[in-house]
């Protein structure tokens, strides 16, 4: 198909660079500089979509972000599919593959449109709330069919091949919009030396000037644009971002910008380039130069392909050299739209008539049109359209001065295009993101930004100022003011702008063109094209009691589409006000929220996907673990060895081997991941006493102590061993997963509650590699690797620590035990970790040293009844509930965190859930963790539950299963039987016992 | 009340829908009511409905400072489930779930309750233990919930990445198949219509600015628009504004008000027919009947009353979603919004008598209030009718924070939904 609607000259496209693209399986041609929409219009494609609810054929209406219909599927391969791309904002590139998102079997002939035609009357707003209720059991079936109609485009089913990234900036002046106002602002601000960022959603800077015939300083406006762009490009303090949408304006002048770096190049980004980028900008001052969007007029059948925005028609002609039809009827309520008639006439195609709702108008543009001999019909309006898949004629009639009624005879004007204009709506969206409500201004017939808390200036179209000279001057002034307020200036000579003023006659507020019939009986007058919201729908909503504008929006779905009501919302609000007999100011607006236009999930996620979703942390000994076949467990951010299977072993066999090695000879555990916090200062000891439940006053240098930490409610929150390194210097250890939150907790208390304490905390987890050797042979092993630490059992006792040298490197050795065996925790600098670990393995060979992982560690500690916070506790247990009252020192002089909480009446009741040991009656049965205990397994549901199994293992040491768990009042119920009903109907019987299953006196760790 | 039906739609279509009755009116408030409910959201409207329907108390007004259902009812992500850990909360939410199951018919308003299932993903061994515990507790409480492994999960949810290649591979999930979604606005409108039909006065644009308290008992409320309106009993159901109302009554509530955000994608063809949540990766997603992917995660950690949140939360949320569902990376986010949630120290609500006689509060639902709407209204109506806590409400007294009888549901509510 040839480009039937393409002019032979004119526009900003490059006719020397033809591009071929695909739409709905057919090949077409366009040019570099085209958007997908302009290329489709050039090729005479009328129908580009089907409406959401009624499946009505739809054509391109607009030329920018406000386009409601041309929502396309883009992508040449499965992995590169992008749903819902607005054709008006997609640059054409060679090989672009696109298709319409709705319509079956195709968009030109859609079976659903017959359903829409026949059933449409049965589908007013909210019809689904009133039906699909009988019988109740059928709703899933009804919904299945409702869901079939859901959505526009489709998601890829594969992983995204592209990458995205994020940049942070600070700047003095952030300018949103690079039309005349924004460019003048940027030029002014940049001249002062301020750091400027200017972003615009379009492919190139220039905004309205890209399709303007006006002169600036005697030259075509586009020349001025090029000059300013060159000037700004040469300034190193200016960041220019075309194809970049400011999607969100957040508190404290934080602005997010979505830059499409490669979407104009091809199906996916070139190698080495990210597809899109989020800029996160913190600006001293923000200048909103976002301009205005044209409001269409609402009349019957205003959705037939060929009905377009007047300014869009101008843009297609002037910027893209495309005339989207042959015979134009222009319907307007203001002077600006007369430009469209002038543009159309200049192409040599026919302007049938300009239909103006005003009784008279004599502005400059009106005069020019009349001078050209074009028929202008005042005091009239297009109230209906003939045609199904393309406009065939406009029906016009006289209109009363208030625009509320038709008068006189109607006339039918044959045409294939109707351009309409109801005036301009300032793009106030961003100004609302930080909570400011826009204000209705009768003078400009539109909403303007309301008061704001932000350091924000507004200029040009967003204020309802549309004259080019005003835009340039206001932009310039705002640029200077923003720069000066950011500390730049003083300003030298200001540039002068000479632009011939266009005299405009007053516009008329007109939001709904009346029909011969009342709203409820007239043919559909569309307000929101994407969601098929009509004036009758709005009227019905108010009739049913939905009178708040938010109710109207929600009941009708107005503004809920991917265009978020840019085209239709103001008309909808005005129509709501009209049917309620209120003013627009009283009715107000709904709230505009981010995003201004939709942005890619991948771009928001940036680099933080896949491998980089969250940091992976490994200990210094990781290479050894991997070489030796460890399986890993995620604990917090850490990858910890879970166990070390040997070939042919089941998991249980590996665990048994590792457990017995520790009990009988020596095992080695990588304990580097435990959180380590270095605490110093003259009040460090006092601080510890306040955050731990037990006493710290007397812990001497060289000694270690176990401590429990509670929150204010008295419930256990973390635990660990803290050692006294020097009088004012301690090393605290925390659980692996809790390290960060414990440090935050300590800092919170220090900074907000006890700032008077002199104490300093530093995370040193990563500084140290920690290896625990545990088992009866551990002392012998260590003795072979150190010659400056006295390992004598009476001088280096259990719960002591010593500095010294291990395997030739400086070390801290802690004699503490989480297995119940004689154990030493050797800490060396992380850089030496691997070397010392290898040495231990080498020397340990004679004792058959066995590496073990977290799972074996869990079994070993459970044999001893040692808790794991987070597994055996759940933030509902006091130290007393855990049988660990010995770790609470209620007589400490200063109250510790949680003291009062754990003393509350319900926290000290005898019948609380308490941690006990449990032995299944059948020793080979391992009770599933999480199982809930009951006293009587035969009671009806809901059963009375006593508590649950927190830890459960097979113990190779004991040759039977063991478990720890909570039982209501369990500490006083030793020897009693409880039952664990399972999902399969079976019941496991178990006896309550002490949680210390092995070596109850603790002899083995003290040897 | 005119009964809604397909036949009714047909009938009204013949008269161009010109004769549909109003769902509710705008009555002028009376001087005095038996019971005033402050807050016209889902919970407040449900309370009014059950007061009228179950207790025969129809001299009731609901005072709403904005528009009906305009607070968190209009801002949540519509998830309904009852798989809570502790007996007290499990009973309350299961009571609500049972009411959901017949709600459209009861109200003669289609609230589109769809039991499409809710999955809780497990990424760590501790996640597995926690979910085994939850499933076991639910089963013995008579609430459906089951564990499935990663392979079955992958079969049931093709869009979810259950491979081992992710940062935190999915090890399994618990799934409550009776859980699902409902249409949030419809819940408020359905209750409002049914309550109005039973004689309840729904008074919008009516802001309570003070409480009238005499001799330790409430006798009415002072409103900005209509002066003092008297009542024998007052129930406050005002979500994020509860703290403000309590202050008027002279006491403090143990709640903090935080912004909570949610977001939706553009509408796309159906790819996800259920609700998937992950506490560990920290995000959740479902797909609406319109095709939007509905997404949420955590609260902003600071307190505030601005109904918007900070962008960093959105980033983390989307990162989690792309991690779980890498195929949606090229789909685009359409819109974000925020509401104010009042959170309690134990992540459970407060349904309570107060230090002021005849004044009752229903608040503190945190991030999970929508799912409880029918149960909350039902139980609070009973509380207001009795003049003391209904049996299901007893454990949720505000005085539990003094006694220490907390119901810690942080595990169940770790991802804010």
């Amino acid at each position: 198909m040839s480009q039937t609607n393409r002019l032979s000259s004119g526009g900003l496209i490059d006719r020397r660079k033809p591009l071929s693209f695909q739409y709905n399986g057919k090949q077409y041609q366009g040019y570099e500089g085209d958007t997908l929409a302009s290329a489709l219009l050039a090729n005479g494609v009328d129908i580009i979509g089907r409406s959401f609810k009624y499946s009505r054929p739809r054509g391109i209406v607009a030329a920018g972000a406000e386009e409601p219909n041309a929502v396309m599927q883009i992508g040449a391969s499965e992995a590169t599919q992008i749903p819902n791309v607005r054709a008006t904002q997609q640059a054409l590139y060679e090989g672009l593959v696109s298709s319409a998102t709705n319509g079956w079997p195709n968009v030109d002939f859609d079976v659903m449109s017959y359903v829409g035609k026949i059933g449409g009357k049965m589908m007013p707003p909210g019809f689904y709330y009133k039906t699909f209720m009988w019988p109740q059991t059928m709703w899933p079936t009804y919904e299945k069919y409702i869901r079939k109609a859901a959505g526009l485009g489709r998601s890829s089913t594969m992983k995204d091949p592209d990458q995205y990234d994020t940049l942070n900036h600070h700047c003095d002046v952030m300018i949103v919009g690079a039309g005349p106002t924004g460019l003048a602002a940027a030029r002014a601000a940049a001249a002062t030396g301020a750091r400027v960022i200017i972003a615009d959603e379009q492919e190139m800077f220039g905004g309205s000037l890209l399709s303007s015939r006006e002169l600036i300083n005697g030259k075509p406006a586009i020349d001025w644009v090029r000059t300013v762009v060159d000037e700004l490009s040469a300034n190193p303090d200016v960041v220019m971002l075309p194809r970049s949408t400011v999607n969100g304006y957040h508190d404290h002048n934080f602005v997010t910008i979505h830059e499409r770096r490669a979407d104009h190049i091809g199906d996916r980004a070139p190698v080495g380039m990210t597809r899109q980028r989020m800029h996160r900008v913190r600006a001293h001052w923000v200048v909103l130069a976002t301009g205005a969007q044209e409001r269409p007029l609402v009349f019957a059948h205003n959705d037939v392909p060929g009905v377009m925005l007047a300014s869009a028609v101008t843009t297609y002609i002037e910027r893209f050299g495309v005339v989207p039809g042959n015979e134009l009827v222009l319907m307007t309520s203001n002077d600006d739209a007369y430009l469209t008639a002038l543009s159309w006439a200049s192409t040599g195609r026919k302007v049938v008539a300009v239909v103006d709702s005003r009784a008279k108008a004599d502005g400059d543009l009106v005069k020019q049109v009349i001078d050209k001999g074009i028929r202008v019909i005042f005091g009239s309006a297009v109230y209906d359209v003939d045609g199904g898949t393309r406009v065939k004629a406009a029906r016009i009639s006289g209109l009363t001065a208030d625009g509320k009624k038709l008068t006189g005879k109607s006339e039918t004007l044959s045409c294939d295009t109707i351009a309409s204009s109801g005036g301009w709506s300032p793009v106030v969206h961003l100004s609302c993101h930080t909570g400011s409500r826009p204000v209705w201004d009768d003078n400009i017939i539109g909403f303007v930004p309301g008061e704001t808390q932000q350091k924000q200036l507004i200029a040009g179209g967003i204020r309802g100022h549309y004259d080019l000279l005003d835009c340039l001057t206001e932009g310039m002034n705002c640029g200077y003011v923003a720069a000066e307020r950011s500390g730049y200036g003083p300003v030298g000579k200001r540039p002068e702008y000479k632009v011939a003023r266009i005299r405009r006659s007053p516009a008329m507020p007109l939001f709904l063109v009346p029909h011969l019939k009342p709203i409820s009986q007239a043919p559909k007058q569309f307000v929101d094209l994407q969601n098929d919201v009509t004036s009758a729908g709005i009227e019905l909503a108010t009739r049913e009691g939905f009178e708040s504008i938010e109710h109207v929006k929600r009941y009708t779905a107005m503004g809920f589409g991917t265009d978020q009501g840019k085209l239709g919302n103001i008309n909808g609000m005005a129509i709501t006000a009209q049917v309620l007999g209120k003013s627009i100011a009283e009715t107000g607006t709904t709230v505009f929220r981010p995003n201004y236009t939709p942005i890619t999930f991948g771009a928001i996620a940036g680099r933080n996907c896949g491998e980089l979703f969250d940091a992976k942390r490994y200990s210094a000994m990781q290479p050894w673990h991997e070489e030796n076949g460890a399986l890993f467990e995620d604990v917090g951010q850490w990858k910890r060895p879970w166990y070390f299977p040997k070939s042919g072993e089941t998991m249980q066999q590996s665990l048994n081997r590792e457990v017995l090695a520790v009990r009988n000879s020596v095992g080695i555990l990588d304990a580097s991941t435990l959180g380590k916090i270095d605490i110093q200062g003259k009040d460090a000891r006092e601080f510890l006493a306040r955050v731990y439940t037990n006493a710290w006053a007397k812990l001497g240098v060289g000694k270690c102590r176990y401590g429990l930490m509670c929150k204010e409610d008295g419930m256990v929150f973390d635990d660990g061993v803290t050692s006294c390194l020097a009088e004012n210097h301690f090393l605290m250890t925390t659980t692996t997963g809790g390290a960060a939150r414990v440090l935050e907790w300590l800092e919170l208390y220090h900074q907000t509650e006890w700032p008077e304490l002199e104490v300093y905390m530093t995370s040193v987890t990563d500084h140290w590699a920690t290896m625990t050797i545990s088992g009866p042979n551990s002392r012998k092993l260590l003795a072979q690797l150190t010659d400056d630490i006295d390992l004598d059992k009476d001088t280096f006792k259990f719960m002591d620590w010593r500095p010294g040298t291990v395997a030739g490197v400086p070390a801290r050795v802690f004699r503490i035990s989480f297995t119940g065996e004689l154990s030493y925790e050797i800490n060396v600098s992380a850089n030496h970790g691997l070397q010392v670990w290898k040495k231990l393995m080498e020397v340990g060979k004679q004792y058959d040293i066995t590496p073990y992982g977290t799972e074996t560690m869990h079994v070993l500690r459970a044999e001893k009844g040692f808790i794991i916070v987070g597994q055996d506790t759940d933030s509902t247990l006091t130290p007393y509930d855990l049988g660990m009252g010995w770790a609470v020192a209620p007589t400490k002089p200063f109250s510790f965190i949680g003291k009062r909480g754990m003393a509350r009446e319900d926290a000290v009741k005898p019948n609380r859930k308490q941690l006990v040991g449990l032995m299944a009656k059948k020793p080979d049965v391992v009770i599933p963790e999480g199982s809930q205990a009951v006293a009587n397994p035969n009671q009806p549901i809901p059963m009375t539950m006593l508590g649950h199994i927190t830890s459960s293992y097979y113990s190779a040491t004991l040759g039977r299963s063991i478990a720890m768990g909570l039982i209501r009042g369990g500490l006083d119920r030793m020897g009693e039987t409880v039952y664990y009903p399972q999902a399969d109907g079976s019941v496991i019987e178990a006896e309550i016992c002490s949680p210390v299953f092995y070596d109850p006196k603790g002899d083995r760790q003290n040897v | 009340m005119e009964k809604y039906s397909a036949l009714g739609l047909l009938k009204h279509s013949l008269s161009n829908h010109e004769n549909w009755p109003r769902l509710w009116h705008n009555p002028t408030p009376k001087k005095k009511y038996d019971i005033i409910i402050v807050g016209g959201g889902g919970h407040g409207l449900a309370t009014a409905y059950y007061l009228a329907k179950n207790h025969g108390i129809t001299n009731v007004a609901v005072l709403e400072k904005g528009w009906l259902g305009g607070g968190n009812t209009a801002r949540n992500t519509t998830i309904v489930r009852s798989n809570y850990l502790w007996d007290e909360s499990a009973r309350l939410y299961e009571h609500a779930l049972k009411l959901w199951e017949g709600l459209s018919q009861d109200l003669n308003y289609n609230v589109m309750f769809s039991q499409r299932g809710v999955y809780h993903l497990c990424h760590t061994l501790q996640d597995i233990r926690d979910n085994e515990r939850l499933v076991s507790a639910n089963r013995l409480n008579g609430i459906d919930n089951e564990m499935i492994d990663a392979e079955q999960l992958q079969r049931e949810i093709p869009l979810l990445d259950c491979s081992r290649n992710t940062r935190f591979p999915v090890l399994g999930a618990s799934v409550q198949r009776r859980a699902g979604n409902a249409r949030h606005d419809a819940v408020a409108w359905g209750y409002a219509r049914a309550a109005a039909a039973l004689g309840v006065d729904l008074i919008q644009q009516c802001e309570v600015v003070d409480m009238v308290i005499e001799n330790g008992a409430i006798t009415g409320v002072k409103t900005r628009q209509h002066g003092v309106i008297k009542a024998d009993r007052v129930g406050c159901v005002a979500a994020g504004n509860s703290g403000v109302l309590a202050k008027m009554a002279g006491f403090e509530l143990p709640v903090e008000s935080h912004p909570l955000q949610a977001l939706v994608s553009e509408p796309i063809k159906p790819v996800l027919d259920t609700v998937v949540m992950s506490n560990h990766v920290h995000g959740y997603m479902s797909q609406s009947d319109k095709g939007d992917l509905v997404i949420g995660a955590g609260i902003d950690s600071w307190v505030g009353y601005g109904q918007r949140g900070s962008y960093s939360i959105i980033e983390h949320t989307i990162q989690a979603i792309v991690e779980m569902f890498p195929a949606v990376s090229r789909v685009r986010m359409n819109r974000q919004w925020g509401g104010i949630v009042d959170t309690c120290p134990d992540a459970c609500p407060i349904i309570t008598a107060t230090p002021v006689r005849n004044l009752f509060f229903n608040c503190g639902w945190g991030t999970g209030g929508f799912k409880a709407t029918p149960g909350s209204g039902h139980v609070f109506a009973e509380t207001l009718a009795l003049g003391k806590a209904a049996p299901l409400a007893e454990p949720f007294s505000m005085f539990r924070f003094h006694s220490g009888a907390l119901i810690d549901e942080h595990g169940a509510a770790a991802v804010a939904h």
Side-chain angles (χ1 to χ4, degrees), chain A residues 36-49:
Chain A
L36 177 56
S38 67
L40 286 167
L41 286 171
N43 284 281
V45 175
D46 291 336
I47 302 175
I48 46 69

Side-chain angles (χ1 to χ4, degrees), chain A residues 151-407:
Chain A
L152 298 166
R154 70 178 185 87
S155 167
S156 155
T157 55
M158 294 169 68
K159 195 172 179 312
D160 190 342
D162 280 316
Q163 286 197 320
Y164 306 84
D165 64 3
T166 302
L167 263 189
N168 294 313
H169 306 260
H170 287 86
C171 71
D172 299 305
V173 184
M174 170 75 227
I175 295 161
V176 187
T181 313
L183 285 173
R187 188 185 203 194
T192 67
R195 295 167 304 161
V196 174
I197 298 177
I198 177 166
D200 192 285
E201 62 179 350
Q202 295 207 54
E203 293 295 308
M204 53 207 289
F205 282 3
S208 60
L209 300 180
L210 297 173
S211 47
S212 169
R213 295 187 174 194
E214 287 186 78
L215 303 177
I216 299 176
N217 300 337
K219 287 186 188 159
I222 190 71
D223 291 353
W224 180 81
V225 171
R226 286 178 180 138
T227 308
V228 175
V229 167
D230 288 346
E231 191 182 305
L232 294 175
S233 305
N235 186 331
D237 287 326
V238 177
V239 175
M240 299 166 74
L241 297 172
R243 302 181 191 95
S244 300
T245 304
V246 177
N247 62 291
Y249 186 174
H250 312 268
D251 286 318
H252 312 295
N253 265 7
F254 180 60
V255 169
T256 49
I257 309 173
H258 179 225
E259 182 190 9
R260 295 165 298 280
R261 307 182 70 207
D263 287 16
H264 62 297
I265 299 174
D267 196 48
R268 55 170 296 192
V271 176
M273 185 176 178
T274 53
R275 180 178 163 232
Q276 298 176 353
R277 171 175 288 167
M278 291 303 299
H279 298 263
R280 300 188 290 198
V281 178
R282 187 76 67 174
H284 268 138
W285 280 85
V286 168
V287 177
L288 295 181
T290 49
Q293 281 158 346
E294 196 168 28
R295 257 189 328 267
L297 286 163
V298 177
F299 44 85
H301 293 125
N302 58 336
D303 69 325
V304 176
V307 179
M308 298 178 73
L309 280 178
S311 60
V313 172
T314 308
T315 297
Y316 286 116
I317 295 171
E318 301 292 341
R319 180 167 163 194
F320 299 104
V322 173
V323 205
N326 291 305
E327 297 181 319
L328 174 77
V329 167
L330 175 70
M331 165 67 205
T332 182
S333 63
N334 59 77
D335 276 19
D336 283 329
Y338 280 76
L339 280 170
T340 306
L342 294 170
S343 286
W344 191 282
S346 74
T347 69
R349 299 198 188 185
K350 186 176 173 189
V351 179
V352 178
V354 175
V355 183
D356 193 324
S357 61
R358 298 170 295 182
K360 70 176 177 52
D362 56 1
D364 295 344
L365 298 171
V366 180
K367 280 184 188 155
Q368 284 181 45
V369 167
I370 291 170
D371 289 348
K372 283 212 182 300
I374 295 170
R375 182 183 174 198
V376 178
I377 311 167
F378 287 108
S380 296
V382 173
Y383 70 89
D384 203 343
V385 178
D386 290 353
T389 56
R390 177 82 200 197
V391 170
K392 287 186 177 143
R395 296 196 179 211
I396 68 167
S397 170
L399 191 67
T400 54
D402 62 0
K404 297 278 160 58
K405 274 196 186 120
L406 297 181
T407 59

Side-chain angles (χ1 to χ4, degrees), chain B residues 161-182:
Chain B
D161 186 352
C162 294
S163 71
R164 305 291 304 170
N165 308 327
T166 57
R167 176 63 185 84
F168 296 106
V170 178
L171 306 177
S174 68
V175 50
Q176 185 180 26
R177 299 195 188 276
R178 282 166 65 236
N181 296 110

Side-chain angles (χ1 to χ4, degrees), chain A residues 52 79-82 84-85 101-102 121-122 124 128-134 136 139 143 147 150-153 155-158 160 162 164 251 254 256 267 275 278 280 433-434 520-521 540 543-548 550-551 553-555 560-562 564 593-595 598-602 604-605 608-610 613-616 633-634 636-637 639 642 870-871 874-876 904-906 913 929-932 941-943 945 948 981-983, chain B residues 3-6 9-10 13 16-24 26 67-68 74-75 86-87 101-102 104-105 108-110 112-114 116 124-126 129 132-133 136-137 139-142 165 167-169 183-186 189 204 263 265-273 281 287-291 293 295 307-308 311 314-315 318-320 322-323 326-338 401-406 408:
Chain A
F52 192 71
T80 55
Q81 291 299 312
I82 316 167
N84 305 351
V85 177
T101 54
N102 272 332
K121 277 212 98 168
M122 289 271 290
Y128 29 80
Y129 302 130
K130 295 173 176 157
T131 182
F132 303 126
M133 285 182 278
W134 292 272
Q136 190 179 338
W139 168 245
E143 196 189 32
R147 279 176 91 83
L152 298 166
S155 167
S156 155
T157 55
M158 294 169 68
D160 190 342
D162 280 316
Y164 306 84
D251 286 318
F254 180 60
T256 49
D267 196 48
R275 180 178 163 232
M278 291 303 299
R280 300 188 290 198
H433 287 184
T434 54
S520 57
Q521 294 170 28
L540 173 62
R543 181 179 298 131
E544 294 195 78
F546 296 94
E547 292 163 333
S548 153
E550 286 284 353
H551 274 157
K553 167 187 140 184
R554 286 163 177 277
Y555 195 59
F560 269 104
T562 64
Q564 295 205 45
R593 293 180 182 276
N595 296 321
I599 54 176
T600 312
F601 281 160
I604 303 170
N608 298 78
C609 292
F613 171 67
D614 196 21
K616 270 186 201 165
E633 178 189 1
D634 281 310
Q637 291 179 316
K639 294 278 182 189
W642 191 19
Q871 177 170 346
D874 63 356
S875 76
T876 67
R904 287 177 294 181
E905 56 179 288
D906 274 297
K913 286 182 182 167
E929 286 169 348
S931 298
Q932 298 280 345
I941 280 174
M943 294 193 188
M945 287 171 258
H948 74 287
Q982 300 300 303
Chain B
K3 196 167 176 183
Y4 287 156
S5 65
L9 263 178
L10 180 65
S13 74
N16 302 299
H17 303 288
E18 285 166 0
N19 302 311
W20 283 108
R22 293 179 65 99
L23 277 77
W24 53 78
N26 290 322
W67 36 284
L68 296 177
R75 295 164 202 274
W86 300 101
D87 297 345
E101 284 172 330
S104 294
Q105 287 67 32
N108 177 236
Y109 203 80
N110 191 349
M112 302 186 182
F113 176 52
S114 297
R116 57 182 70 260
T124 65
L125 299 175
Q126 188 58 39
R129 281 188 282 266
E132 290 280 11
R133 175 188 181 190
S136 178
R139 183 163 41 79
L140 299 185
N141 265 326
N165 308 327
R167 176 63 185 84
F168 296 106
R183 171 89 179 97
H184 53 3
D185 289 329
W189 300 340
Q204 302 182 72
L263 61 100
S265 74
E266 297 183 286
I268 55 170
K269 297 278 189 291
V271 288
L272 183 65
D273 197 29
V281 169
Q287 187 171 19
S288 76
D289 281 354
K290 195 165 167 282
L293 299 175
I295 291 166
Q307 287 177 323
R308 56 188 189 276
Y311 181 69
I314 298 293
E315 284 180 324
I318 299 283
Q319 284 157 8
V322 174
E323 177 69 3
V328 303
S329 166
R330 291 169 95 89
V331 174
R332 301 183 302 179
M333 166 186 160
N334 199 19
R335 195 177 148 84
Q336 77 183 77
W337 65 90
F401 299 98
H402 295 280
S403 74
L406 305 184
D408 195 298

